[in-house]
Amino acid sequence: MTRWPSSYPLAALIALLAILPIGVLIDLAADEAALFDAHNLRVLSNTLLLMAFTVLGSVLIGVPLALVTAYVQFPWRRLWLVILAAPLAIPSYIGAFTLYAAFGRGGEIDNLLGVPLPAMDGLPGASLVMILYSYPFVMLTTRASLLSLDASLVNAARTLGMSLGMSLWKVVLPRVATGIAAGGLLVALYTLSDFGTPAIMRLDTFTRVIFVEYNAFGLSQAAMLSLQLLVIVGLVLFLESRVRGSREKPGRHLTLWPDRPQRLLIALLVSPVILLAVVLPLAIFAVWLVREGSAGFDLRYAWNSAHASFLAALCAVVLAIPVAHAAIAGRAGRFMERVTYFGFGVPGIVMGTALVYVGLKLPFLYQTLGLLVLCYVLRFLPLAVGSVRSTAEGLDSSLVKAARVLGASPREAFQRVTLPLTLRGMIAGAALVFLEAMRELPATLMLGPTGFETLATYLWRVYEAGYFGRAAIPGLLLVLMSALGLALMLSGERRAELEVSGK
């Protein structure tokens, strides 16, 4: 009889906990009769249009930038990659907040320069913001695929008389279609889960309407809308699971050496994106900081954010260890690991709706820090699992076997050999969970204890009150925290690039 690894029972329990929200939502929505009325259909169309426009715009921007950063040789290439990926360091709701405040009559640009620009709201405004802050997903996934290609086919096409542009179009892009598709699906998931941008741009998408229903005590309707949104998310996740990149055996990379006019042209084409996505928000925050100063900002908001996020990171890593080791042990463990990934695909507003209902059924949990931390853990557990698993898979199994031969029990071998050697992955996973929890807005608004303000929720309160100048300090602190997460991501991308290049 086959003996299951000792990590399986605990991993199975964690996997069951991960799918708890969907059962709660089904129970909560059972009393809601209207599945698709006229209002719901309008919300559905707005959500799908925003997703479609964002994916299209992100591909149109991200793919050319991937080609440039992968193949074009110019000074400070690494710096350019960091700058072009920098929008990932700014939560989209911060970008939406600053662009909303900057544009339109009476906006910051009008006040400073006397040049009134069109207002930034509705579907056009939300689409622009989402494109600006999600195109790096497409750029990075496509760039990773490009770096794995051998340039021999492109060189052969050039030798046969095909222009550079046509060879890139007909030879290179078809070979990286899976990378482009993977990035596009990440953008779709990001768009479906985003709450702050549609809310600030006053566009009725699922996330915004769910929050409105929650505030109006329409919890059953919010649950029904949440389930409808989950159906779309589930479809995107299914498509994402079918996308499998095929890495070619790396050879000599394609290298393009533009002349000075061409480099200037590339810089001119790229600069509007960077100006709108990075420079403008930071400039607006700088103006508000000079004008308002600290504006009564309380350091307790930063402490609350750090405290809740630290607890979530610690709990997520503890739960990730058995799940990661079960996934390595066998097929059943891998299934349990996939189940835990459910939470990462669930928008924060949906997770918040489900756990509010749990809190109402279990009053000792309602509006407690523990319930908020549980939400963070369920949402961001896959970040810790993936990091711990990737580190554990790289361990030399002979070390554990040697410890067992020398008389160590399985628990002692784990504590004295496996655990210390996976510490790096645990720290990286905890850091990612910490940073994502710091940014989380809708779930924190719904589940935070009374009077418990974080940087994200304080930013939302000043937006609702119209005191935009008070957003400078929390906004800049959130950008700084998110920049640390971007640094972790790019450091991993750098290691992968070096492995591909054979350095």
Side-chain angles (χ1 to χ4, degrees):
M1 186 171 119
T2 303
R3 183 185 176 194
W4 278 29
S6 59
S7 57
Y8 272 16
L10 188 54
L13 186 62
I14 296 168
L16 286 175
L17 182 64
I19 60 174
L20 169 69
I22 193 168
V24 171
L25 289 173
I26 292 173
D27 180 54
L28 182 55
D31 298 330
E32 188 62 38
L35 181 61
F36 278 113
D37 55 19
H39 176 62
N40 287 8
L41 289 174
R42 182 170 62 85
V43 172
L44 174 64
S45 64
N46 286 343
T47 302
L48 294 179
L49 284 173
L50 178 61
M51 181 180 71
F53 290 153
T54 303
V55 171
L56 178 61
S58 297
V59 169
L60 292 177
I61 294 175
V63 173
L65 291 181
L67 289 167
V68 169
T69 56
Y71 292 152
V72 177
Q73 302 296 314
F74 47 83
W76 306 303
R77 290 181 66 224
R78 193 69 194 169
L79 177 61
W80 276 103
L81 176 61
V82 172
I83 292 174
L84 291 171
L88 289 179
I90 301 178
S92 60
Y93 56 83
I94 287 182
F97 187 9
T98 52
L99 265 66
Y100 177 81
F103 285 79
R105 188 170 296 277
E108 294 296 341
I109 294 177
D110 187 16
N111 293 336
L112 292 173
L113 305 178
V115 181
L117 297 176
M120 188 76 70
D121 56 12
L123 181 60
S127 299
L128 177 60
V129 171
M130 293 306 300
I131 290 168
L132 289 174
Y133 293 99
S134 57
Y135 80 82
F137 291 118
V138 177
M139 182 187 76
L140 293 175
T141 57
T142 306
R143 183 174 185 270
S145 297
L146 289 170
L147 290 173
S148 70
L149 297 183
D150 189 346
S152 59
L153 289 179
V154 177
N155 294 332
R158 296 292 306 279
T159 302
L160 294 173
M162 189 178 290
S163 67
L164 175 61
M166 289 303 295
S167 62
L168 291 176
W169 177 260
K170 292 189 173 182
V171 177
V172 173
L173 290 184
R175 295 161 70 194
V176 296
T178 54
I180 297 172
L185 290 169
L186 285 175
V187 170
L189 285 173
Y190 184 69
T191 305
L192 288 172
S193 65
D194 190 72
F195 161 75
T197 297
I200 291 172
M201 294 297 171
R202 301 175 184 178
L203 177 68
D204 280 341
T205 60
F206 275 114
T207 52
R208 181 174 189 248
V209 175
I210 289 168
F211 188 69
V212 171
E213 291 291 342
Y214 162 75
N215 281 334
F217 303 101
L219 205 53
S220 294
Q221 177 66 9
M224 177 60 72
L225 291 167
S226 298
L227 288 174
Q228 293 170 17
L229 177 57
L230 279 181
V231 171
I232 304 174
V233 170
L235 177 60
V236 175
L237 285 172
F238 171 75
L239 293 174
E240 190 271 339
S241 70
R242 308 303 298 174
V243 173
R244 290 289 183 269
S246 57
R247 295 183 67 86
E248 302 182 15
K249 185 177 180 180
R252 190 166 64 87
H253 293 312
L254 178 65
T255 304
L256 303 176
W257 296 89
D259 55 26
R260 183 179 178 82
Q262 290 172 334
R263 290 199 299 267
L264 290 175
L265 178 61
I266 292 173
L268 287 174
L269 293 175
V270 168
S271 57
V273 175
I274 301 303
L275 286 173
L276 284 174
V278 180
V279 177
L280 180 61
L282 294 180
I284 294 297
F285 280 140
V287 169
W288 288 344
L289 188 61
V290 171
R291 182 191 302 163
E292 302 284 345
S294 62
F297 177 76
D298 193 331
L299 286 176
R300 284 181 301 173
Y301 307 147
W303 165 252
N304 288 342
S305 290
H307 182 211
S309 300
F310 175 78
L311 292 176
L314 184 62
C315 294
V317 167
V318 170
L319 294 179
I321 293 171
V323 175
H325 287 278
I328 296 172
R331 182 177 300 176
R334 287 193 294 273
F335 173 76
M336 297 172 198
E337 180 198 30
R338 293 299 297 178
V339 171
T340 64
Y341 276 69
F342 169 81
F344 199 54
V346 176
I349 193 79
V350 174
M351 188 72 75
T353 301
L355 293 185
V356 163
Y357 186 58
V358 171
L360 291 173
K361 291 294 184 181
L362 303 173
F364 67 90
L365 281 178
Y366 186 65
Q367 285 194 327
T368 63
L369 182 60
L371 191 61
L372 178 61
V373 169
L374 174 63
C375 178
Y376 290 161
V377 171
L378 292 179
R379 281 217 67 209
F380 306 124
L381 177 61
L383 297 174
V385 172
S387 191
V388 173
R389 179 183 175 182
S390 63
T391 306
E393 283 180 326
L395 296 181
D396 187 351
S397 59
S398 64
L399 296 176
V400 177
K401 293 178 181 177
R404 295 298 309 281
V405 169
L406 292 173
S409 67
R411 177 175 294 181
E412 288 175 330
F414 175 78
Q415 292 176 343
R416 301 180 65 179
V417 178
T418 305
L419 196 59
L421 292 177
T422 56
L423 187 61
R424 179 175 60 85
M426 293 166 58
I427 293 174
L432 289 174
V433 173
F434 178 86
L435 294 166
E436 285 298 322
M438 289 278 287
R439 294 157 54 115
E440 177 60 35
L441 174 60
T444 311
L445 286 172
M446 300 175 77
L447 297 171
T450 303
F452 185 84
E453 290 282 14
T454 65
L455 293 173
T457 60
Y458 179 73
L459 198 71
W460 176 257
R461 306 295 182 201
V462 298
Y463 158 73
E464 285 188 313
Y467 299 132
F468 290 1
R470 297 184 180 181
I473 293 179
L476 290 172
L477 286 175
L478 279 172
V479 170
L480 177 61
M481 292 294 100
S482 301
L484 296 177
L486 176 63
L488 283 174
M489 182 185 302
L490 290 181
S491 65
E493 194 265 0
R494 176 62 175 169
R495 285 194 297 271
E497 180 182 337
L498 291 175
E499 289 172 3
V500 168
S501 63
K503 293 181 182 178

